[in-house]
Amino acid sequence: MAKTQNLKKSEVFENLPLPRNPFVEDFILEFSKDSIPDHVLHQGKRCLLDLIGVLAAGSTTPMGQIITTHACRHFASGEGGITLLADGRLASPAGVALAGGVMIDSIDAHDGMRLTKGHAGCGIMPALFALLEYRGRPFQDDDLLTNLILGYEISIRAGIALHQSACDYHTSGAWVAVGTAAMAGRVLGFDQDTLAHAMGIAEYHGPRSQMMRTIDHPSMVKDGSGWGAMAGVSAAFLAEDGFTGAPAITVTAESEASIWQDLGQVWHMVDQYIKPWPICRWAQPAVTAALDLMAAHHLNGAEVAHVEVISFHEAVRLSTRIPQDTEAAQYSLPWPVAAAIRRGHLHTAEISAPFDDPSILELSTQMTLSEDDDYNARFPKERLARVVITMADGLRYTSETTAATWDPESPPSDDDLISKFHDFADPVMGRKKAEALVELVFGLDVHQPNASNAEVITDLISTP
């Protein structure tokens, strides 16, 4: 596909030099599969498969359907279109990145990282598929897996830097934009000047949306990941055409230098938690504690009379008791805990309308929520909760202090992850296609020349 060239770009950039972090720029542009340890490559495959499953489920939500139609109508490409993931229609690369990120975000079951208080893969993955298709085929497994890992590593450090340097709690899109622009620079073959301006534009235009606003008022804006992916892709194309940017201070500020010094030595890719359930991570320690307590004492969920949850401040802010839509159910603490206790599990059905089960409503509306000072002090490095269950006969059971299931210290096995993938993907794409994707993703081989699983994966996830 032809790309616009601005012959005066180098002259413009020379006249407006930016503060630089040459170490980071060199790392991005010279990043190689040969520098990635095998366990990091494997984690990249795991996160990719998990994201594909969540994408499939997200394509069926009202939020996912609205955003794909929006991308088709308002993000059309004058130079030819890129196929929208899980949809099949065409849009611009920025539109594909936006729609994919929003679709994944519409089912709150994707991976995340505690120190960023957010999610890198949700925006990085769809942006990467859009960029690779834009650059043109053929592309190999190396193009997919290596760039995915690069996007995670840059995004996560930008996120840590933003939380460390800004007083507001911004959504993931704010820093995913920087990682997306960096990844685009490698995919599109930028020089250092163009890369620096791309990251600067992305950080400046990234959605620095205030996360706690959507916690208090759940809606489809959610974590801003799709908007960050769109901003990062757009920033890269603008820089490619000579558009100048302000410095990306999360990357270049001297105060944040220590965050970047371990690039290529410490791999935050393996610090991702995986979500077993499609709800905010902050609510998951309480769900884990409740289900563990029920199992340990062989409690009957129908006989639970009252529940008390003690957790950290941000979790207690998830206070919606009677959800009106899936966004409110995903950003609730009382509802998923009550649903898990009454039904013994928590699947997409429990966070989907209608929310009219009287037994769940009874438990949710009467649930007691309170904060623990120690849990508050240990957030965000740890997300903790304990639960007190009172039975109809008056007996009380109290859980231990509990972290969420599938944290980095206790990750799911590959079999557990594949089982979750099938739970999300099979109802949408069918078992046969889902099984093919499992084999293709785990078969990605960055060291085999011309390995082409990546192209088949792209084709499979780009169809409705």
Side-chain angles (χ1 to χ4, degrees):
M1 182 176 294
K3 291 178 280 188
T4 302
Q5 298 295 324
N6 189 326
L7 298 178
K8 296 183 179 180
K9 179 179 70 174
S10 61
E11 181 180 338
V12 171
F13 287 168
E14 286 174 7
N15 292 335
L16 188 66
L18 292 181
R20 307 291 284 273
N21 188 329
F23 171 72
V24 174
E25 292 169 7
D26 287 344
F27 181 87
I28 293 167
L29 298 179
E30 297 172 8
F31 189 59
S32 166
K33 61 182 182 295
D34 298 324
S35 66
I36 307 173
D38 287 344
H39 73 285
V40 178
L41 289 168
H42 188 70
Q43 177 73 346
K45 297 175 186 180
R46 285 161 54 88
C47 288
L48 175 60
L49 184 71
D50 192 56
L51 289 164
I52 293 171
V54 179
L55 172 78
S59 70
T60 69
T61 65
M63 183 172 159
Q65 292 166 357
I66 289 169
I67 199 65
T68 49
T69 297
H70 176 82
C72 289
R73 289 176 178 171
H74 304 292
F75 284 81
S77 175
E79 298 181 353
I82 306 298
T83 307
L84 284 160
L85 302 182
D87 181 86
R89 291 176 289 177
L90 302 180
S92 68
V96 171
L98 168 67
V102 171
M103 269 193 285
I104 294 170
D105 210 9
S106 73
I107 293 288
D108 205 345
H110 46 289
D111 64 56
M113 197 265 190
R114 290 176 297 203
L115 294 182
T116 65
K117 296 188 281 187
H119 315 272
C122 181
I124 287 295
M125 183 271 248
L128 177 56
F129 279 101
L131 289 163
L132 289 174
E133 280 293 305
Y134 174 82
R135 191 189 69 181
R137 300 195 183 203
F139 56 85
Q140 281 76 48
D141 294 2
D142 175 31
D143 295 310
L144 177 57
L145 194 55
T146 301
N147 284 302
L148 182 75
I149 292 169
L150 174 69
Y152 269 84
E153 295 299 323
I154 301 301
S155 294
I156 289 167
R157 284 172 174 79
I160 295 171
L162 182 61
H163 287 305
Q164 183 171 284
S165 59
C167 58
D168 277 344
Y169 174 7
H170 296 107
T171 60
S172 299
W175 42 271
V176 162
V178 179
T180 299
M183 183 178 66
R186 184 180 186 275
V187 171
L188 301 176
F190 286 178
D191 58 27
Q192 287 191 334
D193 283 329
T194 309
L195 176 64
H197 282 275
M199 290 192 292
I201 298 165
E203 185 183 87
Y204 192 87
H205 284 160
R208 296 189 67 163
S209 34
Q210 296 140 327
M211 185 69 201
M212 297 311 294
R213 191 189 308 182
T214 195
I215 294 299
D216 293 336
H217 303 281
S219 73
M220 292 183 182
V221 297
K222 299 191 82 169
D223 197 33
S225 297
W227 219 258
M230 177 197 71
V233 170
S234 297
F237 289 136
L238 284 168
E240 188 178 42
D241 287 340
F243 198 93
T244 57
I249 57 175
T250 55
V251 180
T252 61
E254 196 171 311
S255 59
E256 314 308 324
S258 62
I259 293 171
W260 299 96
Q261 289 174 348
D262 60 4
L263 266 172
Q265 301 171 37
V266 173
W267 297 91
H268 286 306
M269 184 85 231
V270 299
D271 295 331
Q272 306 307 298
Y273 59 73
I274 304 292
K275 290 184 180 182
W277 305 300
I279 58 171
C280 179
R281 189 63 170 179
W282 299 346
Q284 300 212 7
V287 173
T288 303
L291 289 176
D292 286 352
L293 192 60
M294 298 278 291
H297 296 281
H298 307 288
L299 304 180
N300 184 341
E303 298 175 0
V304 173
H306 185 264
V307 178
E308 179 183 1
V309 175
I310 305 95
S311 195
F312 53 97
H313 171 77
E314 286 78 3
V316 173
R317 288 275 287 272
L318 300 166
S319 57
T320 300
R321 296 176 182 274
I322 306 175
Q324 300 302 311
D325 53 34
T326 184
E327 283 74 41
Q330 292 172 46
Y331 280 173
S332 167
L333 177 61
W335 178 265
V337 172
I341 288 173
R342 290 300 196 210
R343 296 186 179 176
H345 60 257
L346 191 62
H347 299 313
T348 54
E350 281 68 52
I351 53 95
S352 302
F355 302 100
D356 57 1
D357 185 322
S359 66
I360 298 175
L361 288 168
E362 176 192 32
L363 210 55
S364 177
T365 53
Q366 297 179 13
M367 192 174 298
T368 303
L369 308 179
S370 61
E371 297 179 28
D372 183 287
D373 290 340
D374 180 52
Y375 296 169
N376 285 339
R378 292 161 72 175
F379 178 81
K381 290 185 178 181
E382 297 178 89
R383 291 99 181 275
L384 303 170
R386 65 182 184 275
V387 170
V388 181
I389 291 177
T390 303
M391 303 301 290
D393 60 8
L395 290 176
R396 286 164 53 90
Y397 300 87
T398 302
S399 76
E400 301 291 332
T401 292
T402 305
T405 302
W406 294 355
D407 267 347
E409 296 80 13
S410 54
S413 67
D414 286 352
D415 286 343
D416 289 335
L417 191 71
I418 291 168
S419 178
K420 176 198 168 182
F421 171 77
H422 281 298
D423 285 343
F424 281 78
D426 287 10
V428 183
M429 64 177 64
R431 184 76 179 191
K432 184 176 180 180
K433 183 175 177 180
E435 287 178 341
L437 279 164
V438 171
E439 184 175 350
L440 287 162
V441 170
F442 279 109
L444 287 166
D445 187 350
V446 300
H447 299 296
Q448 179 66 37
N450 302 319
S452 57
N453 277 17
E455 288 201 7
V456 184
I457 292 168
T458 303
D459 292 336
L460 287 176
I461 68 171
S462 296
T463 55

